[in-house]
Amino acid sequence: MSPVNSRVPHGQSTLRTVQVLGGGNAGSSVHVRSLTAGLVARGVRVTVCAPAETDRAYGFTAVGAEHVPVPRSSDPVSVAALRTACAGADLVHAHGLHASFRAALALSGRRTPLVVTWHNHAHAEGPRGQLLRVLERRVVKSATLVLGTTSELVDRARHRGARDARLAAVALPRPRTGYEHPERPRSKVRAELGATGRPLLLSVASLDPHRGHELLLDAARAWRLADPVPLVVIAGEGPLRALLQRRIEDEQLPVRLVGRRDDVGELLAAADVALLPGSQEARSVLAQEALHARVPLVAARTGGIGELVGEAAELVPHRDPDAFAAAVLRLLGDPERRQALRDLGALQAATWPTEDETVAQVLSIYDELTQPQPRPLGRGY
């Protein structure tokens, strides 16, 4: 059972909820951890069903939740484990399409309310695209409520047949990576990376397909002609590392792969420009951190990035390396524009919901969906 004390203070919730997470990208995992902490603080008993490594990375148990290791698989054994974990829950909240599909299977035949949050713009073509649409329709048919992190995702859920779809409040906890109070001086970080006397461009993303790394290397060819030549630092690890490193060496690109880092905040504080060449995240963690840290951002216009950053970033067409390269070079040569983006970024970040506001919205939804509905008075009463 949950480690939360069963004697709940007056005015706090007595709900028991289950949060279901798949592999979890950074955005959804950070959100679930933040949401869990806020719910536990308000007396909600929270069980997080997620792969074991996800709890090690994000510390759900550290904020008072019970963690039940459940693999990402939708095989009968995993679904049965999830069904057992959901027994007795007042409400189940699943994050992401595949986690939502598994939750729908686990709750089959039960009347437990299912809330689904779609964090990302899943995209596929051909047979995989057809399967994606089938999964989406199955999930929205089962869900009591679908929350979308962007207006586009809300519209998508409604188009797939959702009974109720609303815009979700999703906050990025601050400060998450230490950019506000870096331990090392900016000059030292830049020197360690090899960016003394030259601009430092930073991208943070796993080295997976669809993250835009190939486009970033294409753009870096144009940056070799600048004086001084900017250094591109990519923080992240993944299956494309060998391929990307080979291209960097063969084409002599001014790019460094520095792997997974625990000091992303300090890297960001040291950067001149943050780069987001492509992302499936509807609310990119890097975009949010860059604006919070007052670092100018150049991003490909994908998913919900435009809705997230407004006028506070340089947005370029998706999959256009020439436009991306040109936007970066223009920004490096225009200190007034960089300052304007810093100021706009701070204003835009101030419009985003806080963690408290996010938890309050979600808890209000939970109360709405779990309160007994009054029975209509029939004729003769």
Side-chain angles (χ1 to χ4, degrees):
M1 294 300 292
S2 168
V4 178
N5 195 314
S6 60
R7 298 181 61 187
V8 179
H10 177 70
Q12 291 197 330
S13 175
T14 58
L15 287 170
R16 177 177 178 254
T17 72
V18 175
Q19 306 288 322
V20 183
L21 191 62
N25 61 40
S28 59
S29 298
V30 169
H31 170 65
V32 171
R33 203 243 190 213
S34 170
L35 181 59
T36 296
L39 292 173
V40 168
R42 289 160 175 79
V44 179
R45 292 186 294 158
V46 180
T47 298
V48 178
C49 294
E53 64 272 15
T54 309
D55 183 52
R56 288 193 294 268
Y58 294 95
F60 305 119
T61 53
V63 295
E66 178 189 12
H67 173 244
V68 177
V70 177
R72 295 185 62 182
S73 172
S74 297
D75 65 77
V77 174
S78 298
V79 172
L82 184 56
R83 185 174 178 85
T84 299
C86 292
D90 296 299
L91 179 143
V92 174
H93 190 166
H95 300 265
L97 178 61
H98 293 284
S100 302
F101 178 67
R102 291 194 298 276
L105 293 177
L107 293 177
S108 179
R110 293 180 178 174
R111 299 176 64 86
T112 308
L114 173 61
V115 176
V116 167
T117 297
W118 284 357
H119 293 266
N120 301 322
H121 295 258
H123 177 74
E125 298 177 355
R128 289 181 62 86
Q130 183 176 358
L131 175 61
L132 178 67
R133 290 188 289 274
V134 170
L135 289 178
E136 290 176 341
R137 285 194 290 268
R138 174 68 171 83
V139 165
V140 301
K141 182 179 179 180
S142 302
T144 311
L145 169 65
V146 179
L147 296 173
T149 55
T150 67
S151 299
E152 182 180 337
L153 287 174
V154 173
D155 291 341
R156 183 169 181 157
R158 289 171 178 163
H159 182 69
R160 295 288 187 257
R163 289 173 284 174
D164 190 355
R166 310 177 196 174
L167 190 63
V170 178
L172 175 74
R174 295 186 63 207
R176 186 172 76 90
T177 52
Y179 46 76
E180 290 186 325
H181 304 288
E183 295 181 2
R184 294 176 296 168
R186 186 173 187 266
S187 58
K188 183 176 182 180
V189 175
R190 293 174 67 93
E192 291 174 356
L193 293 171
T196 301
R198 61 194 299 199
L200 175 60
L201 312 178
L202 177 67
S203 177
V204 182
S206 58
L207 306 184
D208 295 307
H210 312 302
R211 288 287 190 166
H213 298 300
E214 293 280 4
L215 178 145
L216 196 55
L217 297 193
D218 291 341
R221 286 201 295 262
W223 299 332
R224 293 180 303 183
L225 305 177
D227 184 20
V229 178
L231 174 65
V232 183
V233 169
I234 303 176
E237 197 55 80
L240 293 184
R241 183 181 182 108
L243 175 65
L244 296 175
Q245 187 61 51
R246 189 177 308 116
R247 273 199 62 186
I248 291 168
E249 295 173 358
D250 290 347
E251 301 175 33
Q252 298 183 329
L253 301 176
V255 179
R256 282 193 61 187
L257 304 180
V258 296
R260 187 177 290 108
R261 301 283 292 235
D262 295 327
D263 60 346
V264 168
E266 293 186 340
L267 299 183
L268 191 58
D272 296 293
V273 177
L275 307 177
L276 189 66
S279 175
Q280 293 182 339
E281 295 177 273
R283 295 182 65 88
S284 162
V285 173
L286 176 62
Q288 293 178 77
E289 289 185 333
L291 268 59
H292 275 308
R294 299 177 63 88
V295 176
L297 173 70
V298 176
R301 191 183 292 275
T302 60
I305 188 67
E307 185 175 338
L308 177 66
V309 304
E311 300 297 322
E314 294 286 355
L315 300 182
V316 299
H318 185 37
R319 296 176 181 171
D320 189 337
D322 293 335
F324 198 93
V328 171
L329 290 178
R330 283 197 306 271
L331 196 55
L332 290 176
D334 190 345
E336 291 184 0
R337 177 58 178 165
R338 294 200 303 274
Q339 185 59 49
L341 287 179
R342 294 186 188 101
D343 296 338
L344 289 170
L347 293 174
Q348 181 71 10
T351 69
W352 296 334
T354 66
E355 288 186 86
D356 282 343
E357 290 168 344
T358 298
V359 174
Q361 185 215 39
V362 170
L363 189 54
S364 175
I365 289 171
Y366 289 179
D367 287 340
E368 171 192 338
L369 298 182
T370 56
Q371 292 299 320
Q373 298 298 312
R375 295 180 60 184
L377 295 178
R379 184 173 300 174
Y381 284 82

